[in-house]
Amino acid sequence: MIQIDYKSHKSIYEQIVDQIKYNTIKGYLKPGDAIPSIRKMALMIQVTPTTVAKAYQELERQQIIETIRGKGTFIAQQLTIQPDKAAVEKARVNLESVLMEFKLLGVDTQQMIEIATEIYKSL
Amino acid sequence: MIQIDYKSHKSIYEQIVDQIKYNTIKGYLKPGDAIPSIRKMALMIQVTPTTVAKAYQELERQQIIETIRGKGTFIAQQLTIQPDKAAVEKARVNLESVLMEFKLLGVDTQQMIEIATEIYKSL
Amino acid sequence: MIQIDYKSHKSIYEQIVDQIKYNTIKGYLKPGDAIPSIRKMALMIQVTPTTVAKAYQELERQQIIETIRGKGTFIAQQLTIQPDKAAVEKARVNLESVLMEFKLLGVDTQQMIEIATEIYKSL
Amino acid sequence: MIQIDYKSHKSIYEQIVDQIKYNTIKGYLKPGDAIPSIRKMALMIQVTPTTVAKAYQELERQQIIETIRGKGTFIAQQLTIQPDKAAVEKARVNLESVLMEFKLLGVDTQQMIEIATEIYKSL
DNA sequence: GTGGTCTAGACCACG
DNA sequence: GTGGTCTAGACCACT
């Protein structure tokens, strides 16, 4: 379910965050679904529980998951879609940075839109 | 010409790389144009020369600039547009990650395309 | 009568304590009133009896409720209003901490008083 | 400058967060001021650097401080005062909980206002 | 069992 | 020097 690339420059906890987010977007994880406990996930992906805990805390901060005391961790009932202005702005800046790469690679607007649309629909 | 955000969590050398890339894309820097020496640039943007050196090294690796011994550093004559398969793939992965943010924020496909197009044309 | 927010980071037993206190303040529970046995309460709010027991124990310590052997548990005849210096001091420290949040959020004194008064009267 | 109560039920990192916040409110720490590096602070208050790091990260998330790569950590130029609706609501709930204590202790509205005002002005 | 916190020590990238 | 991340192991409160 979660694949960690230990060679990646992206930190492990960030990979966990991204992949759980991805799984919620794709619908593989639905609101209310339980996700593995910190210790189980740590065993599954062969990292220390602290690292998983950090990822889960970040996900809870972003309201992707909810933790219930002594019970475990679950996908949030209300999956964001809160027009958080700061978050949109941050995403926009990130997008600009990535699109710069495409521009430099000589991709024209039409091609870029096709690529972006294809990816977006696959999410 | 180059603006560094010292509070940003993006590393300074990466900011330099991105902004020089941006300037070449926008046409503010054309092939053959000289760019400031490491020391001058370091003075201009108030960072240590080693940081600038690292940025220039990265730009050279990406074939955005060329260093001519004894002459200085210049924007490359052949600005990419080389179908570097690995580079495209990397950019695509980055794009997917960023678009995931938009999806989670509840942006629909149409809105996303509008935002991306607007940014792309401004580049 | 008692609503538990399982997602809250406040512990369940603390929520029980607070809500029973709240009900006594509002007069919904009067001195001498019986409150459900540990087991009934546990069934009602879907938690384990040990959690309820812990809450009742804390309430007894604070002299909000009294347990009469073989009879059950009741709201205390003498509802506090005892000038417990330590308790007042503790409440004061808690208040300072909470008011700090308001200050940081830019709430001015007048607004704070309005909010506090409104809440206090609703209790 | 920072006093940790190791016996407190409040976690160490939270005490650090609260006290730095308090110092900014009181004006002892002004925008732009440097705060001790993670390692120095760790030595000062005799805790492990990880714990201080956690506190600093939380403070940065709350935009109380800003970290500058390789330079250190500083009080933010823009001390919040952003009417974050969620934050205000959370503070309000906390206030209600604290005020309940006063009510139970038999403090009347007028007295409560006096106490709250006094504390608020001292902040 | 669960998550939350802390320690002690390590390695890394950055400036 | 700085902050960021990770490990390995521990203790705690809560359910």
Side-chain angles (χ1 to χ4, degrees), chain B residues 1 20 23-24 26-36 56 64-68 71-77 79:
Chain B
M1 166 175 160
I20 290 189
N23 281 325
T24 61
K26 294 286 281 184
Y28 301 150
L29 288 172
K30 294 189 198 319
D33 283 359
I35 60 175
Y56 281 18
I64 310 284
I65 65 174
E66 291 165 345
T67 303
I68 301 181
K71 294 278 190 174
T73 307
F74 305 86
I75 302 300
Q77 293 295 345
L79 267 181

Side-chain angles (χ1 to χ4, degrees), chain A residues 28-59:
Chain A
Y28 301 148
L29 289 173
K30 293 192 199 317
D33 282 359
I35 60 177
S37 77
I38 289 180
R39 287 163 174 83
K40 276 183 189 157
M41 177 66 85
L43 278 176
M44 283 164 62
I45 60 181
Q46 293 291 336
V47 297
T48 189
T50 328
T51 303
V52 179
K54 189 170 183 180
Y56 280 19
Q57 259 168 343
E58 175 63 19
L59 283 164

Side-chain angles (χ1 to χ4, degrees), chain A residues 105-121:
Chain A
L105 288 166
V107 177
D108 69 28
T109 307
Q110 192 51 41
Q111 287 173 310
M112 181 279 289
I113 290 175
E114 279 168 25
I115 295 170
T117 307
E118 183 203 329
I119 293 175
Y120 212 65
K121 291 199 167 155

Side-chain angles (χ1 to χ4, degrees), chain A residues 18-31:
Chain A
D18 282 357
Q19 290 194 36
I20 290 190
K21 267 179 159 174
Y22 178 79
N23 281 324
T24 59
I25 292 178
K26 293 284 281 184
Y28 301 148
L29 289 173
K30 293 192 199 317

